[in-house]
Amino acid sequence: MKKLACFGAGRIGQVHATNAAAQLGVALIYLVDPVDTPARTELAAHTGANITNTDTVFDDPSIDGILIASSTNSHGDLLMRAAKAGKAVFCEKPISLDFALTQQVMEAVEASGIPCMMGFQRRYDASFRAVHARIASGMSGSLEQLTMFSRDPSPPPRSYVETSGGMFRDSTIHDADMARFLLAEEIATVYAVGACLISDEIGVAGDVDTLMVTLTTVSGRMANITACRRGPMGYDQRLEALCAREVLNVENQTQTHMTVSSADGKRLAAPENYFIERFRQAYAAEMEAFVDLLENGKAPLAGIRDGYEAQRLVEAALQSYQTGVPVAFGADWTPQGGAA
Amino acid sequence: MKKLACFGAGRIGQVHATNAAAQLGVALIYLVDPVDTPARTELAAHTGANITNTDTVFDDPSIDGILIASSTNSHGDLLMRAAKAGKAVFCEKPISLDFALTQQVMEAVEASGIPCMMGFQRRYDASFRAVHARIASGMSGSLEQLTMFSRDPSPPPRSYVETSGGMFRDSTIHDADMARFLLAEEIATVYAVGACLISDEIGVAGDVDTLMVTLTTVSGRMANITACRRGPMGYDQRLEALCAREVLNVENQTQTHMTVSSADGKRLAAPENYFIERFRQAYAAEMEAFVDLLENGKAPLAGIRDGYEAQRLVEAALQSYQTGVPVAFGADWTPQGGAA
Amino acid sequence: MKKLACFGAGRIGQVHATNAAAQLGVALIYLVDPVDTPARTELAAHTGANITNTDTVFDDPSIDGILIASSTNSHGDLLMRAAKAGKAVFCEKPISLDFALTQQVMEAVEASGIPCMMGFQRRYDASFRAVHARIASGMSGSLEQLTMFSRDPSPPPRSYVETSGGMFRDSTIHDADMARFLLAEEIATVYAVGACLISDEIGVAGDVDTLMVTLTTVSGRMANITACRRGPMGYDQRLEALCAREVLNVENQTQTHMTVSSADGKRLAAPENYFIERFRQAYAAEMEAFVDLLENGKAPLAGIRDGYEAQRLVEAALQSYQTGVPVAFGADWTPQGGAA
Amino acid sequence: MKKLACFGAGRIGQVHATNAAAQLGVALIYLVDPVDTPARTELAAHTGANITNTDTVFDDPSIDGILIASSTNSHGDLLMRAAKAGKAVFCEKPISLDFALTQQVMEAVEASGIPCMMGFQRRYDASFRAVHARIASGMSGSLEQLTMFSRDPSPPPRSYVETSGGMFRDSTIHDADMARFLLAEEIATVYAVGACLISDEIGVAGDVDTLMVTLTTVSGRMANITACRRGPMGYDQRLEALCAREVLNVENQTQTHMTVSSADGKRLAAPENYFIERFRQAYAAEMEAFVDLLENGKAPLAGIRDGYEAQRLVEAALQSYQTGVPVAFGADWTPQGGAA
């Protein structure tokens, strides 16, 4: 029986805590969230966890691992404490919005040798994973051009934009991670354009709401990320991988399989509302993988270094957007003067 | 150079005359239509044909073949005259609405030995033909269950229903022919249900507007025709062939390849409006096949006997609908007391 | 807290027991299965249920309801005991393979007034349910022609065919229930054709493996069921509802949303393997509905009479297949001389 | 009756000459091609045109317009002669591979006032045109992100690459024109990456075979062109337009509407082979538009300035690829030192 603690009782904390509690051979012992809400109470009741504070978790030697689903600015500190306490970690992205701290935490975690898995759930989605597996099997031939479409249903409020690190760091990091996962090669150049086209509030907050990133790898392969804070069809997460022998696409997952045909044509159902619905099975698969890491030492699809590298990539995209010229990326590039 | 005459300057006559005139090595010499309309004048001008009467065509020994696209009640007589004059014939369905006459004409045409092709244009459509070719090649395995959807955009006026022979003879004959084309085996039983659900006028005219036909072959394979005089999405012609190793479908042909995605889901373009648009290429291919028959004696995909057999099949379906019990079909069945 | 007992620890018993145990406010107290298998042991451990015998369940007054997922020939007796004991029932189809007994059980259950829900899980599938809801809302206009495709991945072994009641009673009952659910009107005629085309073993067992059923309602609307024990694409469950204003389709649910495009065209992923995978969410929704029935008295989408009526309908289809003529159905029709 | 002459009897010359000859009210008088091939003879016979030389065409005052479908290096001279002779022109892209000459010709044509239409046939394709019309109507809201996929079935031979001006000028010009057509706003920046990933021969010829171009407009809207000389699924021409209220896509046009479903999933037919097949109807619509220009003065969808601007855009993309930095485009940018 593996004993876990979960930090965060918000939307994503509920997902991870519930999935962890439903695993055979796992007990969720603690739930930590400083804010006393009905959601926290209900989540504790449903999962059988005790509500407690951070120190209790790290002082309890019976706890095997922690789930970090708390606010972004707490991730770095919790990772450092877990590294020190020798507890396994499942951590939601990002490591930190401060790049210097991200690097420092990554190095500490690696030095500690604790099992650590980053929550890039797309890697565990059946469709994205099938694309990765098919390319990795050699069946498709070399991946030459990768295109990702990544659009949210509607723009977040200004308050969220101001604390989340902005669109590149908060949202595009998922696409950057997927690009790294599929290209599986060192990135050579990063170029980005961005604009505030749809939300005045986001412009006031100094961020973009619409962007495109172009990457090349050292062997000349290329990728494009096309992202927007608003998707007219709702949550819109698609991908196209041109390979030497075939083209692989990930299409949206619709809410039902009903189609409606009339004089206007045949209409498919709308995509799943948002990430909680779209990636429901991916989140469950992610938690199974974390348990597999705990019990059997099986390496996860994304580790702490993947968290670091995806952040490094979006820092380069942000810098390119800000300067208007491509960034000569490579193994050693880091943002000038730390993250803005 | 093959010389042709076309009977009929209406909608379908325009299609056939224009396609014939556009063929290399073909000249459309005569156009026959008793009604003097602007459409007749324009069609003659565009195809270079002379407007004349029936006798002139059959008296002119230089005419190699005729296209019968005139009103239904003239088909039988023109076929008989062509058989007598030894001219090749391309004939729109049906041979006649009177079954006894249909049989008589079929026998006369076969006895005469004239080249004769029936205008079942679906057989020349790239998609329906691809299904036939794939099954015939053995790749799909045995066809076990065939389902056809056949729906018009909107019900015809009462006047049309009263002179066209009714839904079974006028419309379902196309599906009956396709069933024969694909099943390629003797039909054993025919059962039909029908109702007047959508057009009061059609009910007043004594016809149905909605029907289903179930066929079995002597080896036990089966087919269903689901047809309606009204299709909410417009002209709706689809088919599914369950074979031993794969399922083949013919989907509708959309007007464009544009899709529109919004919060309501992804919407494909509407199907082509009606048969003239949907089967534009099939009509052209049909006329190429007729020229190939004239020039090289190449057998068409549908001959006079196919016209007869398709009519025999819909007579059986009509009788089953009227009596409420299945018809024991077979090589020798003919409607009791002639066609109703 | 509602206390339940589950009969049956096989494939479908595992689904229902697990779903029940995962509900908030529900405890699975007992598991009854006469055969001591590792699966029974594991299921008891995972759900927290005690393995016991039938009498214990019915003698325990604290048990609120039972789940009947045991072998078909035990359903009738368990329903009768539940009716007598006043316990709510969730029962897998069918009530019994013996029609006289089916009728007797249905009457006893109705007389007892116990809450009773039949496990027609398609009614709880998001897509089939969306079709029902849309038609019921009036948005689509009147349903005029209903077509169902129902194909298993591969034929069952001869032993299964011999004890399951045959294809009509075992498999087509799901489609018959869906036809009743969507048509929502008295059935007037039932006609069926069938053949043994794909499995010699099934023929030896005296059953068909391929069939079509045509139904009409008293107002003239019509439905077709096209079913086969083998589906070249795997488990194949689709539906088309022609309504006055639009056409609704339920398409298959694919295993992933990855498409693969090559010179052979664009290929979608295969459908979910079989009913356990395809209806995973429907089974969960079904158990939520049963709890809603227990806790709030909310009527389920299918009750004991729906179980009886679906069976009556497939008895009529079977008789039509055997006699070769349509059955004049209606509120009072029952199979001649009891079930064959 | 409008009298035309066609220059070029090759693949695209055959398309334009045949389409022109099929128009009512049009006569193709001359066909000019210096190489005496069977194709030239057959084309002349089929269209009724006389084979002649360039001077005859321009010396014949009865000729209303010319179709330029000859080799690329003859376009500029023929346009200059038409401008001088006051004859209307339909001209295949490009004006010239030499940018200075392109500019000179464009100015001469504009000064002459002759009707002039550039052969960007995608603008006349029903699907691409429907996207343009829908955006122009205001129904979709503002176009914010445009993505184009443009892939040939297989790389051209080295000889073609060496004389065609390379991938940017020869192929990407179509996508550049479509971007201009849809964005309908001044381009602000152009960035391109490219590589030779699939054809060694193309690398030897000094060209790329795989590229991505990113454009921004002065208001911040953005477009991506993803292109490759090889498409695993064949000719692959798709587009996605993210607008404020909906997402518009142009999908590939398949060869048939047959789908094949097996254990591997459902497979659509392959796309039309190549541009002649894919744009058959667009070429016909283009020629109708040219006749409309001749007869009624109706402005075509693409004129000489569109030819010039699309070339200017691909020159910028080429320069960005060569220098590795974005080009600050604008109304006045021209390639440094003329085209390479």
Side-chain angles (χ1 to χ4, degrees), chain D residues 255-313:
Chain D
Q255 292 178 26
T256 72
H257 311 294
M258 178 175 72
T259 66
V260 179
S261 300
S262 67
D264 286 337
K266 181 175 181 172
R267 186 162 60 71
L268 281 62
E272 294 281 9
N273 275 332
Y274 205 12
F275 62 96
I276 297 288
E277 294 85 3
R278 170 63 184 84
F279 292 109
R280 188 179 302 280
Q281 292 181 307
Y283 288 123
E286 206 172 47
M287 198 49 58
E288 283 179 39
F290 183 56
V291 174
D292 207 10
L293 169 62
L294 282 174
E295 291 181 344
N296 311 310
K298 170 116 185 265
L301 294 179
I304 189 78
R305 185 160 288 267
D306 295 301
Y308 167 78
E309 287 292 346
Q311 283 181 253
R312 200 165 69 90
L313 199 49

Side-chain angles (χ1 to χ4, degrees), chain C residues 15-28:
Chain C
V15 169
H16 292 313
T18 305
N19 283 339
Q23 298 275 328
L24 281 177
V26 170
L28 188 72

Side-chain angles (χ1 to χ4, degrees), chain C residues 15-16 18-20 22-23 90 117-127 129 276 278-293 298-302:
Chain C
V15 169
H16 292 313
T18 305
N19 283 339
Q23 298 275 328
F90 170 89
M117 173 173 173
M118 287 300 294
F120 289 121
Q121 85 282 356
R122 274 168 183 74
R123 292 193 180 208
Y124 287 93
D125 174 73
S127 301
R129 194 171 182 173
I276 298 289
R278 170 62 183 87
F279 292 110
R280 189 179 302 280
Q281 291 180 309
Y283 288 123
E286 205 173 46
M287 199 48 58
E288 283 179 40
F290 183 58
V291 174
D292 206 10
L293 169 62
K298 170 115 186 268
L301 294 180

Side-chain angles (χ1 to χ4, degrees), chain C residues 232-234 251 261-271, chain D residues 232-234 251 261-271:
Chain C
M233 73 175 94
E251 304 289 352
S261 301
S262 67
D264 286 336
K266 181 175 180 174
R267 185 162 60 71
L268 280 62
Chain D
M233 71 176 95
E251 303 289 352
S261 300
S262 67
D264 286 337
K266 181 175 181 172
R267 186 162 60 71
L268 281 62

Side-chain angles (χ1 to χ4, degrees), chain A residues 231-249:
Chain A
M233 72 176 96
Y235 191 50
D236 184 12
Q237 299 292 328
R238 288 166 295 133
L239 173 151
E240 167 159 334
L242 169 77
C243 303
R245 284 192 290 278
E246 56 193 24
V247 183
L248 308 177
N249 282 264

